[in-house]
Amino acid sequence: MATVTSVRPPTASLRQEQGARPALASNNALVLDSVTRAFGALRAVDNVSLSVTAGQKYAVLGSNGAGKTTLFNCITGDFPPTEGRIYFFGEDITELPPHERIRKGLRRTYQSSLLFRDLSVRDNLFLAVRGVSNGRYSFARPGASDASRRATEDLLERSRLSHIADEMVANLAYGQQRQLEIGMALAGAPRLILFDEPAAGLSPAERRELVVLLKSLPAHMSFLLIEHDLDIALRVVERVTVMHNGRVLRHGTPDEIENDAEVQAIYMGGKH
């Protein structure tokens, strides 16, 4: 059985990122303390520290190869860090396998769609609900009043997909599939969701719908967003970390990041 520990005092690098505020377990959803992930001699993520408070909407920005997706893989446990620690609501989850992190309320979407294309939207959401429920291995057919069915209908509303609930996923527009992935990530009352480039490949209209959806998420729910579309990322988050070559280039508010000369020079080609 995996053991968990309370958050230890923050390192100097983490205290610097947070300014004068202490790293209090009661106020932090996620704390990365000097996280490094090496593949041989390559440090894909190099000494990254940041904290996401409970209910905070947070973005990690950077060009291709900056280390963003590898950082997500460290958080989810797909590629545990080779150095540093990860804390989730006060518990050290650095050594926990991915399924244990899911049970604790951590969710993730991926750049590539992971959907059941031959099932309906409703069925995909139902399977997501059952997958994080206590009765997920039961072969009993749920009744009309089953909690899983009620939760599925709630997810249809929250993901703004009720009007196409019975449509086969294979027939959906790409943007609708991305909405469905977000709806599936909402199953089981997650405490923190990692969104991996949710706007990739979306049309302008679909991007506007995505912004509405992200802004409609419950205030108590935290999320960490990777996104190349700065206009979307800076509109839906409160705090931003910019990465470059595996390291943290800058922490700040959306306004601070947008107006930072070094960030502009590297990622925006000047003020936009």
Side-chain angles (χ1 to χ4, degrees):
M1 180 176 180
T3 59
V4 296
T5 60
S6 299
V7 173
R8 63 185 178 182
T11 62
S13 59
L14 186 55
R15 286 194 298 270
Q16 182 180 12
E17 189 274 322
Q18 295 177 314
R21 295 175 300 164
L24 300 177
S26 62
N27 194 42
N28 283 326
L30 179 71
V31 174
L32 306 184
D33 187 354
S34 303
V35 168
T36 294
R37 175 65 197 193
F39 298 93
L42 172 65
R43 286 183 168 238
V45 173
D46 190 2
N47 194 36
V48 171
S49 294
L50 61 84
S51 63
V52 181
T53 58
Q56 190 173 45
K57 319 309 183 192
Y58 204 112
V60 176
L61 306 180
S63 60
N64 288 330
K68 307 183 302 299
T69 297
T70 301
L71 184 67
F72 265 28
N73 288 332
C74 289
I75 297 169
T76 59
D78 294 315
F79 294 130
T82 47
E83 298 176 24
R85 310 304 297 175
I86 300 174
Y87 302 93
F88 186 64
F89 286 92
E91 297 182 355
D92 186 338
I93 64 168
T94 311
E95 308 298 333
L96 288 185
H99 69 274
E100 290 291 344
R101 303 182 195 212
I102 292 172
R103 289 177 183 174
K104 292 183 179 297
L106 182 64
R107 301 286 189 275
R108 178 187 181 172
T109 66
Y110 290 84
Q111 293 181 32
S112 300
S113 296
L114 299 175
L115 301 171
F116 297 100
R117 293 177 56 81
D118 295 328
L119 296 179
S120 69
V121 170
R122 178 181 277 109
D123 287 343
N124 271 262
L125 290 172
F126 177 76
L127 288 174
V129 170
R130 294 287 286 188
V132 294
S133 67
N134 291 330
R136 58 188 174 277
Y137 297 123
S138 173
F139 289 99
R141 183 182 295 273
S145 61
D146 184 82
S148 296
R149 289 189 179 276
R150 295 196 303 271
T152 299
E153 297 305 311
D154 178 63
L155 287 182
L156 282 167
E157 291 289 338
R158 291 170 65 182
S159 56
R160 302 166 63 86
L161 293 171
S162 295
H163 62 294
I164 55 171
D166 297 314
E167 190 70 47
M168 295 295 107
V169 168
N171 298 329
L172 299 183
Y174 183 71
Q176 293 171 328
Q177 293 185 28
R178 300 298 276 182
Q179 280 181 249
L180 176 56
E181 290 179 311
I182 293 175
M184 294 174 72
L186 291 170
R191 296 195 283 176
L192 173 68
I193 303 179
L194 308 180
F195 292 121
D196 196 346
E197 297 192 28
L202 300 189
S203 68
E206 290 169 338
R207 288 167 185 254
R208 289 192 292 272
E209 181 69 17
L210 174 65
V211 169
V212 173
L213 178 56
L214 292 176
K215 286 186 173 182
S216 71
L217 295 179
H220 68 271
M221 185 183 297
S222 308
F223 71 68
L224 187 58
L225 170 77
I226 287 176
E227 186 52 66
H228 280 301
D229 189 321
L230 296 176
D231 288 332
I232 285 182
L234 298 180
R235 288 171 62 189
V236 299
V237 302
E238 308 156 69
R239 185 77 176 166
V240 181
T241 290
V242 179
M243 292 183 64
H244 182 55
N245 293 334
R247 299 183 64 88
V248 171
L249 174 69
R250 194 78 74 243
H251 298 291
T253 66
D255 284 343
E256 289 169 343
I257 295 301
E258 186 175 25
N259 293 292
D260 185 278
E262 190 172 6
V263 173
Q264 292 171 13
I266 294 176
Y267 298 105
M268 304 179 191
K271 184 173 174 61
H272 76 297

